[in-house]
Amino acid sequence: MAVTNVIDSAVRDALNTTAGASTQNAGLELQESFMTLLVAQLQNQDPMNPMENAEMTSQLAQINTVTGIQNLNDTLEGITGQLDASQLMQATSLIGKGVLVPGDRVLVGEEGVTTPFGIELPAGADDVRITIRDGNGEVVRSFEPFSLSAGTESFTWDGTTDEGTLVAEGAYTVSVQAYTNGEPVDATVLNYALVNGVSLDDQGAPLLDLGGVSEPVDLSDIRQIL
């Protein structure tokens, strides 16, 4: 009976495919099949042409590699699950808290009470200018230029115009220009929002419900917790 000294390549290919995509039980079944074929080859090999030690070592290394890959995949799945759970816990801990996220809206309530806003700079700027406009685009307040370090900084407007009178209740927009030695610096305006709840996106990642102030955001959009 003629038996080759090499495991069928189709079996190896199926085994490797299973390691990356199938369940653990399916992987174990293919491992058992691999070993069964190897034992059968050893029992039926040509005595005049036995399997070399190097060939056996090579084929055993293949099954060990497949097992290692599957174990690694299982470990990564476990780590991913732990990270997802950690992110969900972190997101739910923000419910009821105020945060700064990218956006340019400031709300003014009774007696000039306003929501905070923020500025995020990738690098320090020696000339930062803040302008606040009403719903018609008219400038109601321009702040004196000032310097600001890199990072995120929160601000509170007192709800007054350049003339010192209180503005009407409603929504206003903030714009920021930043420069260093006359060269513009990218500035991101941040607006305040209250986290009302948490939902999950299609991938199972948590999304923060900001109650209509902006679209739901993920944790990476949070620049500061107030």
Side-chain angles (χ1 to χ4, degrees), residues 89-218:
M89 291 180 62
Q90 184 179 0
T92 54
S93 71
L94 293 174
I95 295 176
K97 294 183 178 180
V99 295
L100 290 180
V101 296
D104 61 2
R105 188 165 75 167
V106 173
L107 301 179
V108 179
E110 296 180 358
E111 300 181 356
V113 175
T114 65
T115 55
F117 65 93
I119 300 174
E120 182 181 45
L121 295 179
D126 56 27
D127 182 4
V128 178
R129 307 182 185 192
I130 300 174
T131 304
I132 299 180
R133 294 177 170 82
D134 62 19
N136 297 318
E138 298 294 330
V139 175
V140 297
R141 183 68 181 271
S142 296
F143 292 88
E144 291 294 327
F146 59 95
S147 61
L148 190 63
S149 301
T152 300
E153 190 72 32
S154 60
F155 300 87
T156 301
W157 171 39
D158 62 5
T160 63
T161 65
D162 287 330
E163 290 73 31
T165 60
L166 285 177
V167 300
E169 296 179 21
Y172 294 77
T173 57
V174 180
S175 61
V176 175
Q177 292 79 41
Y179 305 89
T180 294
N181 297 324
E183 295 296 323
V185 177
D186 289 334
T188 301
V189 183
L190 311 171
N191 62 212
Y192 172 87
L194 184 67
V195 180
N196 290 330
V198 177
S199 60
L200 299 177
D201 65 13
D202 295 338
Q203 306 300 320
L207 291 175
L208 303 178
D209 175 10
L210 303 181
V213 173
S214 69
E215 294 295 322
V217 300
D218 58 36

Side-chain angles (χ1 to χ4, degrees), residues 33-143:
S33 298
F34 189 101
M35 294 304 298
T36 298
L37 286 173
L38 182 59
V39 170
Q41 287 183 348
L42 291 174
Q43 292 175 338
N44 295 281
Q45 65 184 334
D46 184 354
M48 303 301 295
N49 184 29
M51 181 181 292
E52 297 289 340
N53 288 338
E55 290 180 297
M56 181 179 296
T57 300
S58 174
Q59 297 196 40
L60 287 175
Q62 292 180 54
I63 188 64
N64 287 336
T65 299
V66 170
T67 303
I69 292 174
Q70 179 141 0
N71 289 340
L72 178 60
N73 288 338
D74 292 342
T75 300
L76 290 176
E77 288 179 4
I79 293 174
T80 300
Q82 292 177 2
L83 290 176
D84 289 344
S86 175
Q87 285 188 333
L88 184 58
M89 291 180 62
Q90 184 179 0
T92 54
S93 71
L94 293 174
I95 295 176
K97 294 183 178 180
V99 295
L100 290 180
V101 296
D104 61 2
R105 188 165 75 167
V106 173
L107 301 179
V108 179
E110 296 180 358
E111 300 181 356
V113 175
T114 65
T115 55
F117 65 93
I119 300 174
E120 182 181 45
L121 295 179
D126 56 27
D127 182 4
V128 178
R129 307 182 185 192
I130 300 174
T131 304
I132 299 180
R133 294 177 170 82
D134 62 19
N136 297 318
E138 298 294 330
V139 175
V140 297
R141 183 68 181 271
S142 296
F143 292 88

